[in-house]
Structure formats: C-alpha cells, structure tokens
Amino acid sequence: MKRKSIFGIHIFSMLILVLIIVGCSEETGNASEDDGNSESSEESNMEQIVLKVGHVFGADHPWNVSLEGLSEDVAEATDGNVEIEVYPSSQLGGDRDMAEGIQMGTIEMGLFGTGALQSLDERLIVEELPYAWPTREHAYNAIDGELGEALAEILKEQGMHTISWWESGYRHITNSVKPINSPSDLEGIKLRVPEAQLRIDTFDELGAMPTPMAFSEVFYGLQQNVIDGQENPLATIYDSKFYEVQEHLALTGHIWGSAVLTISESAWNDIPDEYKDIIAEKAEEWKEKEREMIREQDDELVKKLEEAGMKVTQPDVKPFQEIVQSMWSEYEDEFGKELIEIVKQYSSE
C-alpha cells in the first residue's frame, strides 16, 4: 500500500515537472514572438519625415523642375522615409509669407531669390549690387565660396539653414511703353521691383519710377496697366507669360541673383544625420542641373520671346553701369565693408 502511494507521488511530481517545462517553453516562445513583433512594430511605426517646400514660380520653371527631381531622388535614397512635397506658384504664400512660415515652423523649406529675403536682413541682397558679376562664373565662385558662407551665417541668425545655392539668373527689363536702348528711355516708366530698397534705389538712379509689388500680383498689374514694366530673369519672364502683356524686352543684365534652398533650423535638427547627408548631397547635384537649365534656357528664350511677339533690344550697358556705380559706396555702411570687399574680390577675379 505504501509502495503504491510512493509510486503515485512520483507520477504526480513528473506531471508537475512536465507542465512547468512546457509552460517555460511557451513563455520563451511568446517572448521571442513579442520581441519580433516589437521590432517590426517599431519599423512600421517609424514616422515618415515630410518636408513642405514652396516657391513663387510656375510648374515649368527650372526651380520647380529641379525641386521635383530633388524630391524623387531623396525619396529613393531614403527608401521613402523622407518625402519633400513641392508647392509652386506661391501656393504657400509669397516670399515674405514663406520666410516667416519657416521662421515660425509652419513651413519646413523654401527656395528663394536671395534678394527676396532682404526683409529679414538687408545684407542678404549684397550680391545684387548692380553690375557686380561680369560673368556667371564670377558669381558661382563667390556664392559657392566666401560670399555664400557669409550669407549662410546671416540666414542662420534668422533660424534658417542653407542647404544649397542655386540660381535665379541675370535680370532684364520688359515694358509695354517703348524700347529701352539707354537709361534715358526708362524715365517715367512705372517699373515693378521686389520689395527691396537696393532695387528701388537702383531704378531711381536710372530714372524709372520703381514700384514695389509682390511677385504674385505682377501679371495682373501689367495687364491692368497699374505698372508699365518689370525686371526678371528670362526664365521667369517666359514661364510667367509676361510676353502676353509686355511688348518690349531689353537685355540689360543689370543684376545676377542666386537662389537659396533653405530649411528651418528646427526642422533640420530633427532630421537624422544620415538623411541630412542625403538631402545635402542630392541638393548639390540638382544645383548643377538647375544652373545648367538656366544657362541653356537663356540661349533659347530670347528667340522664343521674339516668336511670342516681343521686340528685343540689346542696349550698351556701359551708360547704365556708370550711373549706378556710386551705389557701391553708398551701401557700404548698410552691407558692411567686409561683405562689399568679398563681392569686389570675386567680381574682379
């Protein structure tokens, strides 16, 4: 009897042991499964980085074409983890609105003509001193060198990180009144200019009636004869269809302007370093492509604008240069001697 009891106890103990082993195995298996689910959950729950970038020009402008290309390349290189959404045609507001949005953190990125940011700091328009750049190469060397570094520091003070320096191009004059062959032909012409004091003073000196106006209002202003003319790079003149409301184009090349691709410092700091490197690398690649587009289009667009009905003149620029030369010294106090000297150094190399 006692032997049976002992045997029963052994059987019961073995059953308990088996149950404990099975239980431990299930817990281990469940733990492994939970770990796997946790890892996949972390991967699937990783937030995609979405960056909105705005600019004022149309869908066919080199800026927009290049931004779309940048967006595709960044998405591919980051396996879709960084998405750059492109908003052309002032969909996110004019230059001033977008710049304020970047500072406030409501917009991540913007592509601006650097002079359009003069409202943030007047020094940013130093590159637009009239007739500063005899060739594009002079300007490229400056903006890719010391001048670009100096302007990037100024933008950083405004909470904006500089990703890359692209191009706006040389600016030319259109109007609906008469051909422009000399500075005297500008007298009395109401010429739209950006909201930048340097540009206003430039055309005051040249005898025009400079009228500050947001870019988004220019076509309507020309159409309704609120203004007689405007000045912009050829790509902008063509893309904005100014040839529909302007008769004359004068190839004055009075200003060369860069374009700066910026992002808010707070948005930039939130991006992992590996993605920052990809964005910066791809932006530099598209900088070269965008500049090439601007150069090639300049060669083609004069003919296209003539075919569209515009009468093109190519005035001798020396009289224009002589009139505005004094502005370099007049603006030395505002821009600072150091910045002016950087421009002089690169413009004469």
Side-chain angles (χ1 to χ4, degrees), residues 13-54:
S13 299
M14 289 177 64
L15 286 171
I16 294 295
L17 182 61
V18 169
L19 288 172
I20 290 171
I21 292 170
V22 171
C24 288
S25 299
E26 287 179 353
E27 285 180 11
T28 303
N30 289 338
S32 299
E33 186 178 337
D34 287 345
D35 288 343
N37 288 339
S38 176
E39 288 175 9
S40 62
S41 175
E42 285 178 12
E43 290 176 7
S44 62
N45 290 333
M46 183 184 292
E47 287 191 16
Q48 183 186 46
I49 298 170
V50 179
L51 305 170
K52 298 188 295 292
V53 58

Side-chain angles (χ1 to χ4, degrees), residues 247-288:
E247 185 177 356
H248 303 284
L249 165 64
L251 300 176
T252 51
H254 49 279
I255 286 169
W256 178 91
S258 67
V260 59
L261 181 61
T262 66
I263 184 170
S264 74
E265 282 283 352
S266 58
W268 186 249
N269 291 336
D270 287 341
I271 298 173
D273 288 344
E274 62 179 308
Y275 293 159
K276 286 180 185 176
D277 292 342
I278 289 171
I279 293 169
E281 177 188 341
K282 298 302 179 184
E284 284 297 289
E285 291 175 6
W286 276 99
K287 173 189 78 175
E288 298 301 333

